[in-house]
């Protein structure tokens, strides 16, 4: 099942590519690095309204339509586990694209950090679905709210990473560290409930 999630994540990158191409049709696709040179505000808006939402939605679609319907999806922690494997697959595809033209330290940094970054953001909505599914309540509303949070945080991360300001060296790692600490706390709580 984890291999299936990994393959679905790899395939979900194509969903992301199609969503980016759809932006071309409405004249809203931009080169983020060019935006970084011209306008921080435009880069921020593009990051939180296009990059974050497209990439998190692309990963979320196979999770919602395939993974949660598996009979093996039966514990709160499954949301984190399966969303993480989808994110790893997505990152594998994304890295295979970026590493064709990146070199040296930039390629090494991307190949090491991208999988972790995608896993952290996906675990936000994965946890929300798994927890709300097993604890009652409106799992779709809760998951949608956490998906929006993940989209926004993903966009903020990309804004700081692409913007290459003084904050580029500080903000992205701090954001990932905060999500990592939250995730460890959640995993500890779920383990104690079992």
């Amino acid at each position: 099942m984890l291999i299936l999630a990994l393959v679905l994540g790899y395939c979900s990158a194509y969903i992301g590519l199609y969503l980016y191409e759809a932006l071309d049709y409405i004249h809203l696709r931009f080169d983020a690095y060019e935006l970084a040179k011209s306008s921080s505000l435009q880069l921020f808006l593009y990051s939180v309204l296009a990059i974050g939402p497209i990439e998190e939605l692309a990963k979320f679609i196979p999770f919602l339509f395939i993974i949660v319907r598996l009979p093996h999806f039966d514990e709160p922690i499954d949301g984190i586990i399966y969303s993480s494997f989808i994110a790893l697959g997505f990152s594998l595809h994304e890295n295979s694209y970026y590493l064709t033209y990146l070199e040296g330290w930039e390629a090494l940094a991307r190949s090491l950090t991208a999988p972790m970054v995608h896993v952290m953001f996906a675990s936000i909505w994965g946890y929300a679905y798994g927890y709300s599914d097993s604890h009652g309540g409106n799992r779709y509303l809760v998951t949608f709210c956490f998906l929006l949070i993940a989209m926004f945080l993903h966009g903020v991360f990309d804004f700081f990473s692409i913007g290459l300001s003084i904050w580029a060296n500080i903000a992205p790692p701090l954001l990932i560290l905060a999500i990592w600490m939250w995730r460890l706390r959640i995993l500890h709580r779920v383990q104690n409930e079992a």
Side-chain angles (χ1 to χ4, degrees), residues 151-187:
M151 289 173 170
F152 178 75
L153 292 176
H154 188 145
V156 169
F157 177 88
D158 282 358
F159 167 71
F160 284 117
S161 297
I162 295 168
L164 302 177
S165 67
I166 186 74
W167 294 103
N169 296 323
I170 301 168
L174 288 178
L175 179 60
I176 295 305
L177 179 62
I179 297 170
W180 182 261
M181 298 300 290
W182 168 81
R183 184 179 158 143
L184 287 176
R185 188 172 175 191
I186 294 300
L187 291 174

Side-chain angles (χ1 to χ4, degrees), residues 16-149:
L17 290 173
Y18 292 132
L19 291 172
Y20 277 118
E21 287 178 12
L23 291 179
D24 280 334
Y25 293 110
I26 54 176
H27 307 293
L28 291 177
R29 185 169 184 184
F30 300 101
D31 182 332
Y33 292 96
E34 289 300 318
L35 287 177
K37 295 175 187 173
S38 62
S39 171
S40 292
L41 176 60
Q42 287 180 342
L43 174 62
F44 178 78
L45 292 174
Y46 188 68
S47 296
V48 299
L49 297 175
I51 298 172
I54 284 174
E55 294 187 8
E56 291 309 311
L57 184 61
K59 293 181 284 189
F60 182 69
I61 288 172
F63 178 83
L64 182 65
F65 290 107
I66 298 172
I67 294 296
V68 300
R69 293 169 180 9
L70 297 174
H72 303 284
F73 194 100
D74 56 0
E75 297 180 49
I77 199 167
D78 287 345
I80 292 177
I81 293 170
Y82 285 112
S83 65
S84 295
F85 271 79
I86 287 173
L88 286 173
F90 183 94
S91 177
L92 178 64
H93 185 279
E94 190 180 64
N95 271 347
S96 67
Y97 168 75
Y98 281 114
L99 295 180
T100 59
Y101 65 88
L102 294 177
E103 296 177 352
W105 287 109
E106 193 175 20
L108 180 63
R110 167 121 197 126
S111 64
L112 294 176
T113 60
M116 179 182 59
V117 168
H118 278 291
V119 165
M120 290 299 107
F121 294 126
S123 66
I124 294 171
W125 47 260
Y127 163 74
Y129 189 96
Y131 184 82
S132 60
D133 187 47
S134 63
H135 287 78
N138 188 337
R139 69 179 170 217
Y140 295 109
L141 178 61
V142 170
T143 305
F144 179 71
C145 290
F146 277 73
L147 176 63
L148 290 177
I149 291 168

